[in-house]
Amino acid sequence: MCGIVGVVSTRQVPDLLVEGLQRLEYRGYDSAGIAVLDANQVLKRRRTIGKVKELADSLRSDSLSGVTGIAHTRWATHGVPSEGNAHPHVYGETVALAHNGIVENHEALREELVGLGSEFTSDTDTEVIVHLIGRELANTDSLLDAVRRAVKRLEGAFAIGVISSRHPGRLIGARKGSPLVVGLGHGENFIASDVLALRSLTDRFILLEEGDLVELTPSDVSVWNLDDESVVRSSVKVEMRVDDTGKGNFQHYMHKEIHQQPQAVAATLEGRVTRHRVLEEAFGVRASSVFDRTRAITIVACGSSYYSASIARYWIEDLVGIPCNVEIASEFRYRRGVVLPGSLFVTITQSGETADTLAALRLVKEQGFEASLTICNVPTSTTVRESDLALMIQAGPEIGVASTKAFTAQLVDLMLLTILLGRRHRMSEDTERELVGALRGLPDVLEEALKLDVVTRKLAQRLVDKHHALFLGRGAHYPVALEGALKLKEISYIHAEALPAGELKHGPLALVDAEMPVIAVAPNNDLLEKLKSNLQEVRARGGELIVFADETLGFRTEPGVTVVEVPSVHEALAPIVFTVALQLLAYHTAALKGTDLDQPRNLAKSVTVE
Ligand code: M6R
């Protein structure tokens, strides 16, 4: 996590750096800092605790000036959020550095550097890097060389930006394991953790690869590898719509993004389906032969992306009829599993930069999978670049830390994948026709579901003072319950757990009393009668039920049971519609509590550290 941005220009850069940081704040927001070289090439630094706004306020009352600079927004890993631990870190008055990643051998390096006389002022792993660079400058006149020599000693992950008072008009970047892009300007050049940070400055980028070092001046950019060889990296043009990154008429990004789901689903389907069929050609020339060979699937992901994968498991095993193994990336990467013949390895990641997911992808390269496929929202991300196939979702930038529109768009991609594989196995043309029809109608059903804004806002009053909540679902709606619980806990800080409803009686029923709201998801499917029995078990113990029920079921509100009617849709797509209802409930509960729901405490949008 953490976001870094750097600018080398002929105009003043502090405002540009702060604007870039504001766009990177989703990566971490517990402290921020900036370092610039002023007109006399003196290194000036400012750091503040809290969000980027604190830094901006500080610079407004006491400004810095300079045409070369770096900046950082932090998500603490080593050392508490404090001014002293905030980046940039410095080596004397010579070098300043901003870092994203984790230096795993920092303790050994620190000990060695202390032995050489270095004095450290922070608890971070980062500070060793700037000391290594500063010391290397005694052996070389080139800042690029000094950075290369220093990073060669690092174990772990890093993306860094470096400036030096002895090298005015020069900015060095390097990446290994953490993302870094170069933005190409006119008379100025930039580095940043992602393209979004530089949206107002350029639309031309170089996407650095693992082990790349880059040297930037206002007029030139050159890329090198760790062996001091020049490497050619072509530039790409990245279109970004201006309205993508604002809140529009909404108070929070999350609310806006919940309401963007009909468009996100429609855009994800665009060009991929005809009236009755999924267009295989839309998935690229290599996809057909990979799908022909696919006999089993392993899906690996984290957080909400893991829950969308868990829903897809029901689809793939039921509608395709091949084994589908779904695993949490941080577990998968340390487990020796068995790869079934003809297995396709799938990662699901909104950001395409999640460290555990990326590590899993790299790990399986030698494990005998037929191919790797990623389902992702960011075309320029590392996961997309390192996978054999990429199935993009078209959700647009998701800024709120709680994933909403990316989750539903992922499910759309997963249904398209299910159909493409199903066609090769047990799915009939009629079923494909039925599912494609339902997918095409989904944006309208979601528009209907969004009208639940009103009723969920009212219901939120019942949850706002609670300390715990239980979510229940069965079948493919168990992961829906998990996602609903995750949404509630991450933005409202109410402890929420989700269970397959049939498990309740095996222990968790002991938790149920009048103080424990139980939120159930009741679609119109074969498991309905079983679910109803589970709900009776709750009522018999005095538990308060909130039931999100398919509108065709005719469930009625009665004492102890509040029913919220959810628009009906094809049974297979019901998890998508029910999820929207649960997102709204979580959103309104957190909004009522007044939490910082776009940037909840202790979290970050893109988890680029292990
Ligand atoms: O970018 P990714 O999809 O790989 O992110 C995975 C999780 O970190 C993410 O879904 C997280 O759980 C969200 N905060 C959920 O709302």
Side-chain angles (χ1 to χ4, degrees), residues 448-467:
E448 278 303 305
L450 289 170
K451 294 185 184 154
L452 295 174
D453 231 342
V454 182
V455 51
T456 47
R457 187 180 299 131
K458 249 173 100 185
L459 257 184
Q461 288 165 0
R462 304 251 304 272
L463 287 186
V464 70
D465 295 326
K466 301 289 183 202
H467 297 291

Side-chain angles (χ1 to χ4, degrees), residues 302-305 348-352 354 357 401-403 410 486-487 490 605 607:
C302 303
S304 289
S305 298
I348 305 183
T349 166
Q350 184 282 133
S351 60
T354 300
T357 308
V401 163
S403 188
Q410 283 168 358
L486 176 61
K487 288 291 88 95
E490 73 180 323
K605 181 74 183 160
V607 186

Side-chain angles (χ1 to χ4, degrees), residues 176-301:
K176 190 173 150 248
S178 299
L180 192 69
V181 302
V182 174
L184 304 172
H186 299 286
E188 56 188 359
N189 288 304
F190 323 94
I191 54 169
S193 297
D194 73 17
V195 297
L196 215 58
L198 304 175
R199 198 201 72 196
S200 62
L201 297 172
T202 183
D203 60 0
R204 289 186 306 132
F205 294 92
I206 293 173
L207 309 173
L208 294 176
E209 294 185 12
E210 289 295 274
D212 281 353
L213 287 110
V214 62
E215 183 169 37
L216 304 94
T217 66
S219 56
D220 196 40
V221 169
S222 52
V223 186
W224 306 81
N225 64 19
L226 287 170
D227 296 325
D228 198 14
E229 294 157 344
S230 165
V231 288
V232 179
R233 299 272 178 252
S234 45
S235 64
V236 291
K237 194 162 185 234
V238 180
E239 306 283 356
M240 284 169 279
R241 291 205 311 271
V242 174
D243 67 343
D244 276 351
T245 50
K247 284 187 199 155
N249 295 328
F250 294 89
Q251 206 188 334
H252 299 102
Y253 283 110
M254 183 184 176
H255 203 199
K256 175 187 166 195
E257 288 158 5
I258 290 174
H259 277 264
Q260 283 179 321
Q261 290 179 107
Q263 295 93 289
V265 166
T268 302
L269 287 172
E270 202 180 301
R272 288 162 163 186
V273 287
T274 63
R275 242 179 97 206
H276 302 306
R277 275 179 70 74
V278 178
L279 285 171
E280 184 136 341
E281 307 74 45
F283 296 89
V285 275
R286 292 192 55 203
S288 276
S289 71
V290 169
F291 296 156
D292 283 346
R293 299 195 305 275
T294 300
R295 300 278 172 276
I297 295 201
T298 292
I299 313 182
V300 168

Side-chain angles (χ1 to χ4, degrees), residues 347-404:
T347 54
I348 305 183
T349 166
Q350 184 282 133
S351 60
E353 302 294 350
T354 300
D356 285 317
T357 308
L358 197 50
L361 170 64
R362 288 175 177 159
L363 183 81
V364 300
K365 295 238 170 297
E366 309 300 322
Q367 284 187 355
F369 283 91
E370 284 291 332
S372 60
L373 163 77
T374 190
I375 292 180
C376 187
N377 194 28
V378 183
T380 52
S381 65
T382 313
T383 314
V384 170
R385 283 184 278 146
E386 296 193 11
S387 298
D388 300 323
L389 301 174
L391 200 51
M392 300 312 300
I393 60 170
Q394 304 294 341
E398 191 181 67
I399 314 276
V401 163
S403 188
T404 53

